[in-house]
Amino acid sequence: MKKGIILLGSSSSNGETFKVSKYLSEKTNYQIIDLKSKNIGPFDYEFKNGNDDFLPLMKEIVDKYDIIVFATPVYWYAMSGTMKIFFDRISDCIKIEKETGRKLKGKQMAVLSCGSDDELKNGFYMPFIESANYLKMKYVGNVHCWLEGEEIPEEVKHNLNQFAQDIL
Ligand SMILES: Cc1cc2nc3c(=O)[nH]c(=O)nc-3n(C[C@H](O)[C@H](O)[C@H](O)COP(=O)(O)O)c2cc1C
């Protein structure tokens, strides 16, 4: 199995996206990094947030892992704001921290989404796929999850097992 990390971009550190991420983490032994626990400010043209937690985290990721699983809830048909801020900040790695940016090349990207609906609208994964293309990362796949009550349905467990086995 590859060396991977799950980046959790939920507004809840122990919410539904966390629950399915934890299931995946147990299957893969990939650790979860909770972006909510980090101090990561929005992209700034003058890089005023350059001393926050983004760059140390990004350096750790590019140095240690081959595959990044972006785990995001579906908020208003799109990735969460927390996850989008993280993606926006990757621009720091293109504009000033170029050495770190270059190390993204060749890494793999996968996406776990979690919504209340068992279906996603068309195009949900497009920003991930195109960002991977732009960064010369390899987009390897995605899995959509939902909960029923507090539980992970068997269908979702099956999809996560397949995802872990075939992609990660
Ligand atoms: C602000 C907000 C917007 C949401 N928009 C959607 C949506 O567009 N589609 C959907 O299926 N679920 C939507 N949901 C439901 C969440 O995606 C779902 O409950 C998810 O499992 C929550 O994960 P979390 O506990 O990690 O936040 C939304 C929830 C919130 C809080």
Side-chain angles (χ1 to χ4, degrees), residues 60-75:
E60 183 193 342
I61 292 170
V62 294
D63 285 340
K64 291 216 292 220
Y65 304 103
D66 309 316
I67 178 163
I68 308 166
V69 183
F70 291 92
T72 180
V74 183
Y75 290 162

Side-chain angles (χ1 to χ4, degrees), residues 1-10 12-13 16-38 57 60-61 64-73 82-83 86-87 108-114 128 143 145 160 163-164 167-168:
M1 202 163 258
K2 302 163 194 168
K3 279 187 76 182
I5 189 75
I6 300 169
L7 281 189
L8 174 67
S10 174
S12 171
S13 294
E16 301 193 334
T17 312
F18 171 73
K19 280 187 187 144
V20 285
S21 296
K22 187 162 170 278
Y23 182 91
L24 188 66
S25 167
E26 284 161 3
K27 293 279 159 197
T28 54
N29 285 324
Y30 292 5
Q31 271 182 15
I32 298 172
I33 295 179
D34 178 10
L35 293 177
K36 191 167 188 262
S37 73
K38 305 281 181 188
L57 172 61
E60 183 193 342
I61 292 170
K64 291 216 292 220
Y65 304 103
D66 309 316
I67 178 163
I68 308 166
V69 183
F70 291 92
T72 180
T82 305
M83 189 61 87
F86 185 86
F87 267 90
Q108 299 189 358
M109 179 191 295
V111 178
L112 177 158
S113 51
C114 183
F128 297 96
V143 62
C145 307
L160 284 166
F163 184 67
I167 312 269
L168 306 183

Side-chain angles (χ1 to χ4, degrees), residues 39-52 54 81-82 84-92:
N39 172 32
I40 298 179
F43 174 75
D44 185 282
Y45 278 103
E46 289 161 7
F47 306 103
K48 285 184 180 155
N49 295 317
N51 290 323
D52 67 12
F54 174 76
T82 305
K84 182 61 165 58
I85 283 177
F86 185 86
F87 267 90
D88 286 358
R89 289 297 299 282
I90 295 177
S91 299
D92 288 23

Side-chain angles (χ1 to χ4, degrees), residues 8 10-12 14-18 72-78 114-120 144-147:
L8 174 67
S10 174
S11 289
S12 171
N14 53 9
E16 301 193 334
T17 312
F18 171 73
T72 180
V74 183
Y75 290 162
W76 292 103
Y77 313 102
C114 183
S116 54
D117 221 332
D118 59 1
E119 275 182 27
L120 280 173
H144 183 61
C145 307
W146 63 94
L147 264 68

